[in-house]
Amino acid sequence: MKPLQEAAEINGHRLRPESLMMSYGYTPAWSEGAIKCPIFQTSTFVFRNAEEGKAFFELAYGLRQADPDEEMGLIYSRLNNPSLEILEHRLTLWDGAEEAASFASGMAAISTTLLALLKPGDVVLHSEPVYGGTDFFLKQVLPRFGITAVGFSPKASQEELSAQVAEIVQGRLAMIYVETPANPTNHLVDLRACAEVARQHGSEEQPIRVVVDNTFLGPVFQHPLHHGADVVLYSATKFLGGHSDLIAGAVLASKPLMKEIKAMRTFMGTMCDPNTGWMLMRSLETLKLRMERAAQSAQVIADWLREHPQVARTYYLTHLEHDPAQQAIYEQQCLSPGSMISFDIEGGEAEAFQFLNRLKLIKLAVSLGGTESLAEHPATMTHSDIMPEVQREMGISSQMIRLSIGVEDPQDLIADLAQAFGTEADGITASYQPDAYAMYI
Ligand SMILES: *Cc1c(COP(=O)(O)O)cnc(C)c1O
């Protein structure tokens, strides 16, 4: 790790992640001077001799402790691969994590982490709503292994959460699993409150781990590890990949926790493949640029939507004046509102569908965090397996439309939205603020 630390500073000046994404963890001399790391498209690695093979396996299988400067040798691409190791080193920088692991998908990251850290008899307390795949895994798959999932209301205060935890502790609470902001309502969960509750009720023998799905704002706009979380994970399919052209996941935590999670990854075979890993490294070079640009456009668009006569309400992280508690959480843990906007259109499903069918530049598709803007209807698409009463409790109605804003010109996006409402685009000049936007170009 020493060369990595040296590479991250100049005369004691710490370099920022965006400056290190092109070089960190890779030396051109390793590969004929190639400025970019090659794709190590290989399943296995040749040992120099039998003794080396033995030594590598001893470390990989934990048969002995590593010497102080000894790194795990390359064995087989289900265990490790240089393309993935370089990617994982780079991923640690954004969240300030000790270690990272890359996965074949966000769901691979989530399922492997939960299976690594939970055992029969354990209880997981989770925020609600969570991503559909996660919801299914928590409620349908984990119970088969004797693990119980209990949801907590997005409106629960720290005291209510603590009371709920006190009740469960007898049943071995092992994890608080949080998704914030929630999809598609952008509702925030207080990460520090979760970490405090976990510390209060957990113990050394029976720790309560706080695991955060940081796909929506991270790793540029929210750093859960800084707020007391133990594990942060991502669908790297979204902002990290950022071009709607790959499926991947990532998990970051302390070395001891990552040891358990990586061991489970080895046995489940849920690692990322080298080609996808390489694509992710390319994406990381522009991560901050893309996220900042998209968030800046989203702010302009959200403000424009809020003023539109056919919009009943917006769900956006700088539109929280009506809710001081949410506003306080936003100020404490979010660095930007990000680029996910939901809004209720006047009317119901028919009006929402008419709007979605009219969009031209913005594509009608699920997923998010890519360079192109997307729109979808949560009630009948991403969240359609949730019963209507439960949808209503979560704040999802047939009026709701979710937008993921990309890197197009915001004026062009507003022109598209305006024509989809069936109105002229002349609202643009009134609401579009070129001065506020110019500083980001
Ligand atoms: C997409 C998504 C996932 C699942 O990720 P995949 O890469 O599709 O497996 C998990 N959590 C959130 C918040 C997501 O948006």
Side-chain angles (χ1 to χ4, degrees):
M1 282 306 270
K2 240 197 223 115
L4 287 181
Q5 262 154 24
E6 276 162 26
E9 352 182 300
I10 294 175
N11 293 338
H13 168 87
R14 233 189 128 63
L15 300 171
R16 288 167 194 270
E18 60 267 37
S19 308
L20 290 165
M21 283 304 118
M22 285 64 80
S23 59
Y24 189 68
Y26 171 70
T27 302
W30 295 344
S31 307
E32 310 280 358
I35 194 161
K36 290 297 167 200
C37 148
I39 305 177
F40 287 85
Q41 190 71 43
T42 186
S43 59
T44 195
F45 298 86
V46 179
F47 304 134
R48 271 175 287 199
N49 49 48
E51 288 76 12
E52 187 182 72
K54 177 183 175 184
F56 287 1
F57 266 95
E58 282 171 346
L59 275 200
Y61 286 175
L63 304 177
R64 67 172 168 85
Q65 289 291 312
D67 296 334
D69 281 332
E70 191 179 7
E71 297 249 348
M72 198 169 106
L74 293 163
I75 298 176
Y76 183 67
S77 285
R78 179 155 47 75
L79 281 66
N80 52 10
N81 175 290
S83 296
L84 299 190
E85 289 189 343
I86 297 166
L87 164 69
E88 288 163 357
H89 284 142
R90 290 184 188 174
L91 282 171
T92 61
L93 297 174
W94 298 98
D95 277 292
E98 280 183 12
E99 215 169 299
S102 53
F103 286 86
S105 68
M107 280 314 300
I110 292 164
S111 54
T112 305
T113 300
L114 294 181
L115 290 174
L117 301 182
L118 296 169
K119 57 187 182 309
D122 281 349
V123 178
V124 190
L125 188 64
H126 64 90
S127 63
E128 238 163 351
V130 288
Y131 178 74
T134 310
D135 190 77
F136 188 89
F137 194 79
L138 285 167
K139 294 175 184 167
Q140 310 293 330
V141 180
L142 287 181
R144 289 195 230 153
F145 300 93
I147 300 160
T148 313
V150 179
F152 66 86
S153 157
K155 295 182 183 87
S157 67
Q158 187 173 336
E159 290 70 35
E160 286 164 334
L161 194 61
S162 195
Q164 202 174 355
V165 170
E167 244 172 69
I168 297 171
V169 162
Q170 334 313 339
R172 261 201 355 232
L173 182 68
M175 184 182 289
I176 301 179
Y177 184 98
V178 178
E179 212 172 280
T180 180
N183 173 19
T185 54
N186 274 336
H187 193 91
L188 297 172
V189 176
D190 187 339
L191 293 174
R192 274 194 204 165
C194 291
E196 259 167 51
V197 168
R199 226 170 296 126
Q200 265 168 23
H201 297 273
S203 63
E204 192 125 342
E205 313 78 66
Q206 207 171 296
I208 299 171
R209 265 72 180 250
V210 177
V211 177
V212 180
D213 182 336
N214 199 33
T215 301
F216 268 45
L217 281 182
V220 175
F221 297 144
Q222 184 169 265
H223 301 118
L225 299 178
H226 297 178
H227 301 287
D230 299 294
V231 180
V232 56
L233 46 83
Y234 294 97
S235 167
T237 311
K238 315 296 165 53
F239 291 98
L240 291 172
H243 296 72
S244 308
D245 56 4
L246 60 82
I247 299 270
V251 178
L252 299 102
S254 65
K255 279 177 190 288
L257 283 178
M258 287 314 298
K259 200 172 163 194
E260 293 178 48
I261 294 165
K262 280 188 174 168
M264 188 59 85
R265 181 182 70 167
T266 291
F267 295 113
M268 294 187 60
T270 43
M271 69 293 154
C272 187
D273 70 276
N275 185 61
T276 303
W278 189 92
M279 300 260 287
L280 269 175
M281 269 193 272
R282 183 177 174 145
S283 292
L284 286 181
E285 296 183 8
T286 55
L287 176 69
K288 192 169 179 189
L289 278 176
R290 287 184 281 109
M291 289 193 79
E292 283 188 338
R293 163 72 190 238
Q296 186 59 23
S297 296
Q299 178 72 67
V300 173
I301 292 163
D303 291 348
W304 180 83
L305 282 168
R306 181 158 63 169
E307 301 306 318
H308 197 282
Q310 278 157 263
V311 172
R313 110 158 246 209
T314 52
Y315 303 79
Y316 190 61
L317 294 179
T318 51
H319 293 177
L320 296 172
E321 307 81 12
H322 59 281
D323 193 336
Q326 285 281 297
Q327 177 84 33
I329 301 174
Y330 174 74
E331 281 163 19
Q332 179 175 284
Q333 71 193 34
C334 309
L335 301 169
S336 158
S339 49
M340 296 301 296
I341 308 169
S342 292
F343 67 94
D344 290 339
I345 194 165
E346 290 289 356
E349 185 178 299
E351 287 73 15
F353 277 19
Q354 187 180 46
F355 175 87
L356 289 167
N357 291 338
R358 278 181 181 158
L359 288 169
K360 291 178 178 162
L361 181 62
I362 300 172
K363 298 292 176 280
L364 174 53
V366 299
S367 197
L368 57 109
T371 42
E372 63 281 275
S373 296
L374 302 177
E376 66 111 6
H377 188 246
T380 60
M381 296 171 194
T382 45
H383 295 68
S384 56
D385 64 340
I386 300 172
M387 289 187 306
E389 321 77 90
V390 184
Q391 278 191 0
R392 233 165 291 131
E393 263 167 49
M394 292 175 177
I396 303 167
S397 74
S398 58
Q399 292 174 274
M400 184 184 267
I401 289 167
R402 186 188 81 180
L403 299 175
S404 169
I405 300 302
V407 299
E408 304 93 338
D409 186 293
Q411 203 166 4
D412 294 346
L413 293 172
I414 287 175
D416 193 23
L417 294 167
Q419 68 78 27
F421 280 120
T423 50
E424 292 300 319
D426 58 41
I428 296 172
T429 33
S431 312
Y432 176 58
Q433 300 153 0
D435 288 348
Y437 181 67
M439 58 188 273
Y440 283 85
I441 298 180

